[in-house]
Amino acid sequence: MEKAEQSRKKSHHWLRIWRAFLIRLLLVAVVLIITVTALSGYAISKYKQDYYSNSMRVCDIMAKDFTEYNAQNPQLDLWQEYIPKSVNKVAEQMHVFLYVFNADGSCRIASSNSSIAAADLTLNNEMLAGIRKGGEYLTDKASGKIDHSIVEPMLTRGFTFTLTENGVEATYYLFGASYTKPLNLYTTHLFLFMAILSFTLLLIAGVLIFYQVWRGNSQLEQLEAALQRYAQGNYSQPIPVEQYTSSNLELIAALSAQIGSQSGRAEESSRQFVSNVSHELRTPMTIISGFVEGILDGTVPKNKRMEYLSIVSQEVQRLKMLVTSMLNLTKFDAGTIQLNYRMFILNDTAFRTILMFENRLEKRHISVEGLDGEPIRVCADPDLIGQVVYNLVENAVKFVNDGGTISFTFADEEDCWVFAVRNTGNGISKEELPKIFERFYKSDASRSQDKTGLGLGLDITKKIIHLHHAQISVRSEEHAYTEFEVRLPHVEPPEQEHE
C-alpha cells in the first residue's frame, strides 16, 4: 500500500512537471515562430527590393542613354548599329535578356542571348497597358514573362524611352528579364539559417524551462509539505523563505512562513494560556475550599472565621474577575459586547479593588497613595471600567517592588476624566513598551515576576477603553516606575440618571 502511494505521488510529480514544461515550451515556440517569420519576411522583402533595384538599373540607364544619344546625334540612325550593339553588349555582361519593343508591342530587337527571334515576340495586353500607363513596368510573375520557353522564374523590368526620327518623336519600350535564382538562393539559405537558429534557441529554452519548472515544482512540493505540517498542528520546522527568493512562490512562501510563525506562537500561547487558566482557577478554589471546610468542621476558631470569610470573599471576587475576563474576551472577538452607561464614583471602584489585594500588599509592605483624593463621578459602563481598574491595579501589585508604592490619580479635566495608576519598581524597557497591549504578550521581566498571569489583562483593558472611545497610555522608566493613564471622554448620563 505504501509503495503504491509513493508510486502515485511520483507519477503525479512528473506529470505536473511535464504538463507545465510543455505549456511553457509551446508558448515559447509560438512566440519564436512568429518572431522568426516576421524577421525573415522583412529580410526577404528588403533583399528583394534591393535586388530588383540593382539588377534592373542597367535598363533605366540604357533607356536614358538612347534618348540622350539621339538628341546629341539626330542625323544618325541608332537602329543600324548603336542600339543593337549596346543591347547585345550589356546583355552579355550583365547576364540578362534585353528586348526593345515598338509602341504597338511588337519586338524590334532581341539580345543575341535570347533563344527566340524578335519577330516571334510581342508584349501581352497586360504588360503593354501597364507600361503605357506608368511609363515603367516590374513583375516577377509568370504573366510578365517575355520568353515563355524559359521555365525558371524571371524578373521583368520595362522602361519607356523616346527617339526623334525624321522630326517625329517615337515611343519605344526597353525590357530586361533576369533569372531570380540569386533571390531564391538567398531565401533558401535564410530559411535554413532561421530554422537552425530557431531549433537551437528552442532547445536552449527547453532546457532552461525544464530546469525552472523542475525547480519550481520541487519548491512547490516543499511548500505543500510545510503547509500540511502546519495543518496538522506541527509548527516546529519553519519554512526556509530564503530558498524561494526571486521565484514565483516568494510571496506565498513569505506569507506562509509568517502564518506558520504566528500560528506557532498562538499555539504555544494557547497552551500556556490553558495552563495558566488552570492554575489561576485552581488557586482561589483551593483557598476557598480549604477555608470553607475549616469553618464547617470547626478547625477554624470562631474569632478567626470573619477574617477567613473575608479572604474567601476576596478570592471569590478574584475568581469572578477571571471568569468575566475570559467571557468578555469572547464577546470582544465576536463583537457582541454592549455598553451600559451609568454614573458612578471612580474612586470607590479603585478602593474596592485595592481591598482585594490587601493581604498581598501587607505581606510585601506596599504603601498605597491617592485614594483619599477628591471623588470624581464618571459616566461609563461600571462593570467594564471596574475590570479596567482591576487589571491595572493587579498589574501594579504584581510588579511593584517590595516596600514600594502604588499611587492613584483622579482628575476631572475640561473634556475628560483622568484616572492613573503608578507603581514603583523595575519598569518596562523602551523596546517592550509598544508590545505590552498585545494578547498573551509577557515581557522578559514579567515572566520571572508573574509566572501564572494569562497575558490578557492589558489586551482586554485596551479593548474596553476603545469601546468607550477613550485613550490609554503608558509611561515607564527602567528601575524607577511604570504608570498607566486612562482618559475617559465626558459623556452625558442616561435620562434615568437625571431623574
Side-chain angles (χ1 to χ4, degrees):
M1 187 68 179
E2 185 177 347
K3 288 184 178 180
E5 180 64 20
Q6 290 179 352
S7 177
R8 188 192 67 79
K9 287 183 178 179
K10 189 174 181 180
S11 299
H12 178 70
H13 166 81
W14 286 108
L15 178 63
R16 185 158 60 180
I17 288 178
W18 281 111
R19 184 167 54 199
F21 168 72
L22 291 176
I23 291 174
R24 286 169 172 78
L25 188 62
L26 180 61
L27 291 174
V28 171
V30 170
V31 172
L32 190 61
I33 290 172
I34 293 174
T35 304
V36 168
T37 303
L39 291 175
S40 300
Y42 174 78
I44 292 172
S45 175
K46 183 67 175 174
Y47 181 82
K48 185 177 180 180
Q49 182 181 358
D50 293 342
Y51 174 75
Y52 283 4
S53 176
N54 293 329
S55 62
M56 292 286 98
R57 188 176 299 164
V58 63
C59 295
D60 186 19
I61 295 173
M62 285 181 66
K64 292 178 180 178
D65 177 66
F66 291 160
T67 301
E68 290 175 0
Y69 194 80
N70 174 249
Q72 294 171 2
N73 304 279
Q75 74 282 1
L76 293 179
D77 185 2
L78 301 185
W79 298 107
Q80 291 297 322
E81 181 178 0
Y82 187 77
I83 292 179
K85 199 171 184 179
S86 298
V87 166
N88 291 329
K89 182 178 180 182
V90 172
E92 184 179 350
Q93 290 177 347
M94 302 300 296
H95 303 288
V96 296
F97 302 101
L98 296 175
Y99 310 92
V100 179
F101 290 90
N102 295 317
D104 61 359
S106 59
C107 185
R108 183 156 185 174
I109 295 177
S111 59
S112 57
N113 59 354
S114 174
S115 60
I116 299 179
D120 299 327
L121 296 173
T122 57
L123 291 176
N124 60 44
N125 293 332
E126 179 189 345
M127 298 174 69
L128 191 59
I131 197 167
R132 282 175 176 175
K133 183 178 180 180
E136 295 182 3
Y137 183 83
L138 175 65
T139 186
D140 57 1
K141 297 179 180 178
S143 61
K145 279 187 179 181
I146 296 174
D147 185 353
H148 290 280
S149 65
I150 300 175
V151 179
E152 293 87 347
M154 300 290 289
L155 172 66
T156 303
R157 176 78 165 170
F159 290 91
T160 301
F161 69 94
T162 57
L163 298 177
T164 302
E165 298 172 337
N166 299 322
V168 179
E169 188 177 82
T171 301
Y172 297 95
Y173 307 121
L174 175 62
F175 273 85
S178 65
Y179 292 108
T180 59
K181 185 177 180 181
L183 176 61
N184 297 336
L185 190 62
Y186 173 81
T187 303
T188 302
H189 287 168
L190 179 64
F191 275 123
L192 181 62
F193 170 76
M194 287 297 185
I196 295 173
L197 179 63
S198 299
F199 177 78
T200 304
L201 292 176
L202 196 61
L203 183 64
I204 295 173
V207 172
L208 294 176
I209 290 172
F210 184 82
Y211 171 74
Q212 183 186 33
V213 170
W214 174 81
R215 182 171 179 268
N217 189 71
S218 300
Q219 291 178 332
L220 181 60
E221 289 183 345
Q222 293 175 4
L223 189 58
E224 287 176 350
L227 293 176
Q228 286 176 357
R229 290 196 303 271
Y230 288 171
Q232 295 168 359
N234 179 11
Y235 306 100
S236 59
Q237 187 176 348
I239 296 176
V241 179
E242 63 279 356
Q243 293 183 7
Y244 298 90
T245 303
S246 301
S247 73
N248 294 333
L249 299 173
E250 182 177 5
L251 180 58
I252 297 176
L255 292 175
S256 300
Q258 185 178 359
I259 291 171
S261 176
Q262 292 176 349
S263 299
R265 288 198 300 269
E267 183 76 14
E268 178 61 29
S269 298
S270 179
R271 284 196 292 266
Q272 186 66 37
F273 173 71
V274 172
S275 174
N276 290 346
V277 165
S278 299
H279 185 279
E280 287 286 297
L281 291 173
R282 187 170 57 249
T283 300
M285 290 178 68
T286 301
I287 295 174
I288 293 170
S289 176
F291 284 3
V292 170
E293 288 178 2
I295 293 172
L296 291 176
D297 62 18
T299 304
V300 177
K302 290 185 178 181
N303 60 339
K304 291 284 188 178
R305 288 181 182 177
M306 291 304 296
E307 179 183 347
Y308 279 45
L309 285 174
S310 176
I311 296 174
V312 168
S313 176
Q314 293 176 10
E315 293 301 323
V316 168
Q317 289 299 319
R318 179 183 171 193
L319 196 59
K320 177 185 174 183
M321 293 300 297
L322 179 63
V323 174
T324 301
S325 294
M326 289 187 289
L327 290 175
N328 284 343
L329 188 63
T330 304
K331 292 180 181 179
F332 285 132
D333 291 339
T336 58
I337 198 161
Q338 298 292 328
L339 296 181
N340 180 24
Y341 280 93
R342 285 169 47 198
M343 296 295 297
F344 63 96
I345 298 177
L346 191 56
N347 310 57
D348 294 346
T349 303
F351 184 76
R352 287 194 300 270
T353 303
I354 204 69
L355 288 179
M356 297 169 62
F357 300 93
E358 185 177 8
N359 292 332
R360 293 167 65 178
L361 295 173
E362 289 180 353
K363 286 181 181 179
R364 297 177 57 197
H365 307 290
I366 309 300
S367 58
V368 179
E369 299 177 350
L371 287 176
D372 55 351
E374 185 72 22
I376 63 169
R377 287 172 57 84
V378 301
C379 183
D381 187 309
D383 294 332
L384 292 179
I385 294 300
Q387 189 171 352
V388 169
V389 174
Y390 177 87
N391 290 340
L392 296 181
V393 170
E394 182 187 38
N395 199 70
V397 172
K398 284 179 181 178
F399 301 113
V400 67
N401 57 308
D402 291 344
T405 302
I406 297 176
S407 305
F408 292 87
T409 301
F410 303 92
D412 186 357
E413 297 185 355
E414 183 178 354
D415 57 349
C416 64
W417 296 292
V418 180
F419 164 67
V421 181
R422 178 188 181 111
N423 67 273
T424 58
N426 289 331
I428 306 171
S429 67
K430 292 181 180 179
E431 294 76 15
E432 292 178 325
L433 270 178
K435 305 176 184 178
I436 61 171
F437 289 103
E438 295 178 8
R439 184 175 299 184
F440 300 128
Y441 180 76
K442 298 176 74 174
S443 66
D444 293 338
S446 68
R447 291 182 190 277
S448 60
Q449 293 178 259
D450 176 25
K451 299 184 183 299
T452 63
L454 305 181
L456 293 176
L458 292 179
D459 177 51
I460 292 174
T461 297
K462 181 181 69 174
K463 285 181 167 55
I464 294 174
I465 293 301
H466 286 175
L467 276 176
H468 284 81
H469 304 290
Q471 296 178 349
I472 184 169
S473 60
V474 57
R475 293 183 292 273
S476 183
E477 184 178 330
E478 288 191 78
H479 310 297
Y481 73 92
T482 299
E483 181 178 35
F484 287 89
E485 182 182 84
V486 175
R487 289 181 169 268
L488 287 168
H490 286 168
V491 177
E492 287 294 325
E495 292 183 5
Q496 60 267 30
E497 291 289 335
H498 289 294
E499 296 174 0

